[in-house]
Amino acid sequence: MKTNHPNILEWSTGRLDFSAGCLVMGVLNVTPDSFSDGGKFLDQDKAIEQALKMATDGAAIIDIGPESTRPGAKTVPVAEQIRRAVPVIEALVKKVTVPISIDTTNYEVAADALDAGANIINDITALADERMAALASERQVPIILMHMQGTPRTMQIEPNYKDVVAEVLHFLLERAKRAEQAGIPKERIFIDPGIGFGKTTEHNLTLIRNLDKFVNTDYRVLVGPSRKRFIGRITDKENADDRIFGTAAAVALCVAAGASIVRVHDVAEMLDVVKTANAVAENKNDD
Ligand code: HH2
C-alpha cells in the first residue's frame, strides 16, 4: 500500500524511517498491574534490560507506560508515574538510539519524561488534557492520539456505538485537527483506533477490518492489538502469553491495511510478521 507520507520523519530529538513500511513499537510497562507484563518490569534494572532486548530485537520505538490502562485499572498518582518512568528513561537514553515514547494521559508525566529524554508522546485520551497538544508543539515531538470510549475503569462495561468506524474516525480527525491548531504538523500526528478501549470483540474486528479508512487520512496510523482480550476470546486463550499467534494474525492484517506502526509486546516475533507482511503488501514509499 502506498501512502502520501514522507518516508523519513525527523524531529529535533528523533527520527523514524518508514521506507521499508510498517515499524514495530515495543511495549514496556513499568507497572505492577498491566494485563500482560504487569509486575515483570517494575524493577528498574529489569525494565532497562527488557528495553535493550526489544531494541536489539528490532523495535523502532520503545513505549514506556507507568500506568496500566487495562479494563478496571485504577489511576496512579502523578508522582508515582514519574518515579516509575523517569529513571528508566534517563538510563535508556544513554543506551539506545531508538526513540522512546511515554504512554501517559498526564501532562506533568509527559513533560518530565520529555525532560528525561523521551521523544514521543503517546496519549490514549487524545488530548483530554489540552496542554498535551501545546507540549508536543513546543517540544516539537510527535504525538499519538488514541480513541477510547469512557475511562479504563468503565470502558468495558457496555461499549456502545451506532457506527463504530465512523464515530472513532470522526473523533480522531477532530482531535488531530486540534493538535494541528496547536501547531503540531500533520506528519507528527499519529492516529490510533484504540483496540480494546471501550470496544467489544466485534467492535475491535470491525475497526481492524476497516483500518484502510483511517490510513486514507492525512495522518499515519498506529494500532495496538497485541495480546488483547479479543484475541483471547477468539482463540480461547485465557492467558495473555498464549496469544502470540493470534496477535500475529491481527498484526499482519493491520500491516496489510497500511498501518505505519504496530505496538506489540513480542518484538522479535512480530518483527518477522511485520517484515513478511510489509513485503507482501509492498508497503513502501519510493519517494
Ligand atoms: N494499548 C495499551 C496501552 N497503551 N497506546 C496506544 N497508542 N495504543 C494502544 O492500543 C494501547 C496503548 C494497553 O496495553 P498494555 O500497555 O500492554 O496494557 P496496560 O494498559 O494494562 O498496561
Side-chain angles (χ1 to χ4, degrees):
M1 164 151 332
K2 306 236 178 226
T3 64
N4 296 320
H5 308 290
N7 278 342
I8 308 290
L9 172 60
E10 206 156 19
W11 65 103
S12 55
T13 64
R15 183 179 195 270
L16 291 171
D17 181 350
F18 295 96
S19 54
C22 185
L23 300 177
V24 167
M25 167 190 267
V27 179
L28 181 67
N29 286 311
V30 284
T31 62
D33 56 343
S34 287
F35 83 93
S36 170
D37 57 354
K40 274 201 203 160
F41 308 118
L42 197 52
D43 175 87
Q44 278 165 22
D45 291 340
K46 285 200 182 128
I48 292 159
E49 198 185 307
Q50 171 67 1
L52 292 178
K53 180 178 184 308
M54 291 195 294
T56 310
D57 284 348
I61 304 168
I62 310 282
D63 187 43
I64 299 194
E67 176 175 51
S68 173
T69 50
R70 71 174 205 289
K74 293 204 178 91
T75 55
V76 177
V78 169
E80 174 61 12
Q81 288 192 49
I82 291 171
R83 198 192 62 75
R84 289 177 185 174
V86 162
V88 174
I89 296 169
E90 281 173 346
L92 267 185
V93 291
K94 295 190 192 117
K95 297 185 183 200
V96 296
T97 53
V98 297
I100 296 169
S101 59
I102 176 74
D103 183 352
T104 188
T105 60
N106 184 279
Y107 170 83
E108 280 88 10
V109 176
D112 278 19
L114 293 178
D115 288 343
N119 318 87
I120 300 172
I121 299 173
N122 178 15
D123 180 4
I124 62 158
T125 58
L127 312 178
D129 183 340
E130 297 226 359
R131 293 175 301 168
M132 276 301 206
L135 182 66
S137 170
E138 273 160 30
R139 306 289 188 99
Q140 301 183 6
V141 294
I143 188 162
I144 299 155
L145 305 174
M146 196 199 79
H147 173 274
M148 162 163 43
Q149 186 176 79
T151 65
R153 225 175 216 293
T154 61
M155 65 192 182
Q156 289 309 112
I157 296 173
E158 213 174 328
N160 181 31
Y161 303 84
K162 282 203 181 78
D163 179 338
V164 65
V165 175
E167 285 169 54
V168 171
L169 188 58
H170 177 81
F171 170 88
L172 289 173
L173 293 180
E174 193 271 320
R175 294 301 167 105
K177 271 277 155 307
R178 271 197 220 177
E180 280 193 64
Q181 278 156 8
I184 308 171
K186 279 187 177 48
E187 61 270 19
R188 286 199 205 129
I189 301 170
F190 290 79
I191 56 172
D192 177 348
I195 299 301
F197 285 86
K199 281 128 193 152
T200 62
T201 295
E202 199 44 55
H203 293 144
N204 290 320
L205 297 177
T206 305
L207 286 166
I208 295 176
R209 206 175 287 135
N210 288 277
L211 204 67
D212 59 316
K213 300 199 171 70
F214 295 80
V215 170
N216 287 326
T217 63
D218 288 344
Y219 311 100
R220 285 192 179 273
V221 171
L222 182 148
V223 199
S226 184
R227 295 181 167 213
K228 284 186 178 163
R229 197 175 297 185
F230 78 104
I231 294 172
R233 291 242 163 87
I234 294 166
T235 56
D236 201 14
K237 297 281 166 28
E238 189 50 44
N239 187 339
D241 289 340
D242 296 330
R243 299 176 187 162
I244 299 181
F245 287 102
T247 299
V251 163
L253 290 163
C254 291
V255 175
S260 289
I261 303 175
V262 286
R263 180 184 181 276
V264 301
H265 300 85
D266 308 287
V267 170
E269 292 84 347
M270 293 312 137
L271 195 69
D272 283 357
V273 173
V274 167
K275 280 182 178 167
T276 308
N278 273 336
V280 173
E282 297 190 298
N283 255 345
K284 54 180 179 246
N285 254 343
D286 304 313
D287 65 9

